[in-house]
Amino acid sequence: MVNKLFRWQVLALAVWLISLGVGLKILWNYQTTPGVQQKKTTRILNTSLIQLTSQQPTLIMFAHPQCPCTKASITELQGIAQKLRGHVNIKIFFIHPASKDRGWVESSSWALAKKIPDAQVLADPRGMMAKMFSARVSGETLLYSKEGELLFEGGITPSRGHIGENHGTQSIVEAVQTGASSIKKTQIYGCSLFTHEEEEKLAWK
């Protein structure tokens, strides 16, 4: 009887360990799988909401207000803003579907972004600005020189929803301080700004 009970305990432990391993693998894959990036124009697009200045480079972030991963990107952006205060023009666009009210956009991530000194936080109706700049992943960040040249594109977190040392943050700081960076593109770890491609035209009209 004791041996039989012991065998069942060993079997239960083995099943639990396997389940734990599978769960950890799924979580790891989720955290380290980057979003799909689209090709960007090498020069900034002229819009009424984004105007270059002759004094500062322009940094643009696109964000999904309901994506939990976005808070990590905004936290990293806070650190960048502190290091480069007075030397970079920051704009953060939160997508705003026509089907959602203003409260959906002005989430906790929006409130966190509003705390970044000198950053301009804007709603992006129907994701038009994101589409114009070919941004598809929350936390996608673009840095343009004073002349409008694309200096950096990508994400600024080491993995999904995590903060810490990463090439994106380092590249932006380097590019603003020196005019160029050795790394011009990084992977983005965040939620999709839109539904899948087949639904995008319908969902965001």
Side-chain angles (χ1 to χ4, degrees):
M1 181 67 179
V2 174
N3 289 338
K4 185 176 181 180
L5 178 61
F6 178 73
R7 286 197 298 271
W8 276 109
Q9 289 175 334
V10 171
L11 179 60
L13 178 61
V15 171
W16 180 80
L17 288 173
I18 292 172
S19 300
L20 178 62
V22 171
L24 290 173
K25 187 176 189 307
I26 292 173
L27 179 61
W28 174 256
N29 288 340
Y30 173 78
Q31 291 178 345
T32 58
T33 299
V36 178
Q37 295 171 251
Q38 294 192 344
K39 185 176 181 180
K40 304 293 186 296
T41 177
T42 57
R43 295 192 64 81
I44 199 168
L45 300 171
N46 293 320
T47 74
S48 59
L49 294 177
I50 299 178
Q51 299 176 352
L52 294 174
T53 69
S54 59
Q55 292 80 29
Q56 302 171 335
T58 296
L59 185 152
I60 307 168
M61 175 182 282
F62 294 96
H64 192 299
Q66 300 298 323
C67 170
C69 316
T70 299
K71 290 182 180 179
S73 296
I74 295 172
T75 299
E76 289 291 347
L77 185 57
Q78 285 180 323
I80 292 173
Q82 290 173 356
K83 290 180 180 178
L84 301 176
R85 191 165 187 178
H87 298 283
V88 63
N89 179 31
I90 299 175
K91 294 181 181 291
I92 308 167
F93 289 94
F94 283 86
I95 56 170
H96 185 183
S99 60
K100 303 296 183 180
D101 60 21
R102 187 74 181 189
W104 185 89
V105 181
E106 295 181 359
S107 62
S108 56
S109 292
W110 172 285
L112 186 62
K114 292 286 286 185
K115 294 180 181 179
I116 299 178
D118 304 324
Q120 188 175 10
V121 182
L122 302 161
D124 183 13
R126 296 182 292 172
M128 294 305 296
M129 291 296 293
K131 292 177 183 178
M132 185 179 297
F133 282 83
S134 300
R136 291 296 182 270
V137 186
S138 188
E140 194 155 349
T141 305
L142 308 174
L143 178 68
Y144 291 91
S145 69
K146 293 178 288 186
E147 295 74 29
E149 178 186 359
L150 181 62
L151 299 177
F152 170 83
E153 59 174 299
I156 55 174
T157 61
S159 62
R160 188 184 290 262
H162 287 75
I163 62 175
E165 186 174 343
N166 65 89
H167 292 306
T169 297
Q170 295 168 359
S171 298
I172 289 173
V173 172
E174 181 183 358
V176 172
Q177 291 179 340
T178 68
S181 172
S182 57
I183 299 176
K184 300 183 182 301
K185 183 176 181 179
T186 60
Q187 294 180 324
I188 312 165
Y189 300 100
C191 306
S192 173
L193 289 173
F194 302 100
T195 57
H196 60 77
E197 292 299 322
E198 291 78 9
E199 295 178 354
E200 183 177 327
K201 290 183 180 180
L202 295 174
W204 294 86
K205 284 185 178 179

